[in-house]
Amino acid sequence: MAKMINRRGFMAGSMATAAGIVGGQHLLAGAREEKPDSAPPKREPLMAEVLRYKKIDAHAHVGLGEATPAEIIDIADRLGIQYLMISKPMAPGSAGLVSEFKACNEVVLSAVKEFPNRFRGMLTLNPTHAREAMDEIKRCTDLGMVGMKLYNHVKINDPLFYPIIEKFIDLKMIILMHSPIGKARIKYNAREPKNISIPEDFVDIARRYPEAMFQFAHIGGGIDWEDACKALKDSPNVYVDVSGSNNEGNMIDFAMRYIGEDRLLFGCDNGFYQGVGHVIAANLTEVQRKKLFFENYNNVLKKSGRHVD
């Protein structure tokens, strides 16, 4: 027959058990003191690590918000960003008139003139205005611009873009196209226009023009970045920039797995501190981090002879 135990006995037994556990912990602690674990490797100070890498920001802007070109350069200096590929997109939902895209390009040209050793210009246009768009390409590239940044007025795979893409193949320059916000495996944000370029549009146009270079904008910009990376996996002439303000912890690691170390581009989209920080925090090798921060975009610029080193 089981021995009955009263409350006092139960408490006494519990206290003895607890004492034994505590005593055991002291013994284990003593054992650890006798054989200490090896100290974790010492990591260099964060900002020293940040400044150790050369950087080209593949997706930057001027003329948006209140930051002046000088203030942007000041931030870039703090983060060791040597060069910024700048553009000024037309206003969301605008008509995209010739006067508007020319005015945007003038803002960029002015900033490049102010900081010629730091900024590189990316022109913008609306292919609906075919002749004026081609004239603007010539004007801006003659003045030193190194690529093109497009927004959401016309899909990237619309036939209106064909002659412009063919011109950029001749120029050996990259075409950066805005990508949408939303989707989340269900649907895009309601504010997005119907002619926004989605990952499948990039796949389509990249297949049509394998000689062209396309840049898919800001996987951290609010799109379903997992879906985008999977869609673009087998499009070798589509580069992917990792800029944006909606960064999840494993975004770059995931992109590295699907896009690869030679097609990912560092960019901030003017979110400079987190743009640098999430590359530093990603699980990358030194070779991969150097490619992402600098070498991949510089290799793009080398095709047109506009490289920075």
Side-chain angles (χ1 to χ4, degrees):
M1 183 175 177
K3 182 180 178 181
M4 297 295 291
I5 187 168
N6 58 26
R7 182 175 180 278
R8 181 176 296 175
F10 174 80
M11 293 299 294
S14 299
M15 291 173 67
T17 301
I21 292 172
V22 172
Q25 288 174 339
H26 283 309
L27 289 173
L28 288 173
R32 283 197 295 268
E33 288 173 3
E34 291 174 8
K35 296 183 179 180
D37 293 335
S38 59
K42 191 173 182 180
R43 187 168 182 174
E44 66 183 309
L46 177 59
M47 289 311 298
E49 186 176 5
V50 166
L51 295 174
R52 183 156 51 86
Y53 299 99
K54 294 191 297 183
K55 303 176 191 70
I56 299 173
D57 187 338
H59 188 149
H61 297 295
V62 292
L64 301 181
E66 298 180 356
T68 66
E71 289 169 335
I72 291 171
I73 290 296
D74 178 60
I75 295 171
D77 285 342
R78 295 166 189 257
L79 295 170
I81 302 172
Q82 285 81 15
Y83 304 96
L84 300 94
M85 306 297 119
I86 58 169
S87 66
K88 186 182 187 306
M90 291 175 277
S94 74
L97 300 176
V98 173
S99 58
E100 185 181 6
F101 64 70
K102 282 188 173 182
C104 289
N105 292 333
E106 283 301 317
V107 172
V108 173
L109 288 166
S110 176
V112 172
K113 186 176 180 180
E114 186 177 359
F115 295 98
N117 296 323
R118 304 297 296 282
F119 287 145
R120 299 290 186 272
M122 306 281 284
L123 67 99
T124 195
L125 52 77
N126 182 351
T128 303
H129 307 282
R131 181 179 60 80
E132 294 89 346
M134 295 299 286
D135 290 345
E136 189 68 353
I137 291 171
K138 184 177 188 318
R139 181 180 83 93
C140 291
T141 55
D142 284 351
L143 291 170
M145 290 202 183
V146 300
M148 178 167 61
K149 166 67 167 74
L150 303 167
Y151 202 41
N152 57 17
H153 296 83
V154 178
K155 276 182 174 285
I156 189 62
N157 60 339
D158 190 293
L160 286 171
F161 267 125
Y162 291 175
I164 291 169
I165 293 169
E166 290 163 10
K167 179 63 177 176
F168 270 75
I169 291 172
D170 292 340
L171 291 168
K172 299 180 181 179
M173 293 181 180
I174 198 165
I175 299 168
L176 165 58
M177 170 60 93
H178 176 77
S179 66
I181 295 172
K183 189 176 183 184
R185 302 182 180 86
I186 303 170
K187 63 181 181 179
Y188 289 100
N189 189 298
R191 78 178 191 177
E192 295 288 4
K194 292 181 179 179
N195 55 351
I196 188 75
S197 296
I198 63 175
E200 290 75 12
D201 298 326
F202 283 80
V203 172
D204 179 51
I205 197 64
R207 186 182 299 119
R208 181 180 180 88
Y209 288 108
E211 316 94 327
M213 294 183 290
F214 301 96
Q215 180 178 335
F216 185 88
H218 47 55
I219 55 170
I223 193 174
D224 181 346
W225 47 268
E226 291 182 342
D227 174 81
C229 290
K230 290 176 181 178
L232 297 169
K233 178 178 181 291
D234 297 316
S235 298
N237 55 328
V238 178
Y239 295 80
V240 173
D241 82 56
V242 299
S243 66
S245 56
N246 295 275
N247 300 304
E248 296 184 47
N250 66 328
M251 186 184 77
I252 291 180
D253 298 336
F254 187 93
M256 186 65 68
R257 180 161 25 122
Y258 280 87
I259 304 301
E261 64 186 42
D262 296 318
R263 289 198 288 135
L264 284 180
L265 304 175
F266 161 68
C268 297
D269 198 10
N270 286 35
F272 295 104
Y273 288 95
Q274 62 184 4
V276 172
H278 73 166
V279 178
I280 292 293
N283 184 30
L284 304 178
T285 67
E286 279 292 286
V287 168
Q288 290 170 338
R289 195 168 278 118
K290 288 176 180 178
K291 283 185 174 184
L292 205 162
F293 268 138
F294 184 87
E295 293 171 8
N296 288 345
Y297 201 89
N298 201 41
N299 287 336
V300 168
L301 294 174
K302 282 180 179 179
K303 296 179 186 296
S304 62
R306 306 293 183 98
H307 48 291
V308 298
D309 65 354

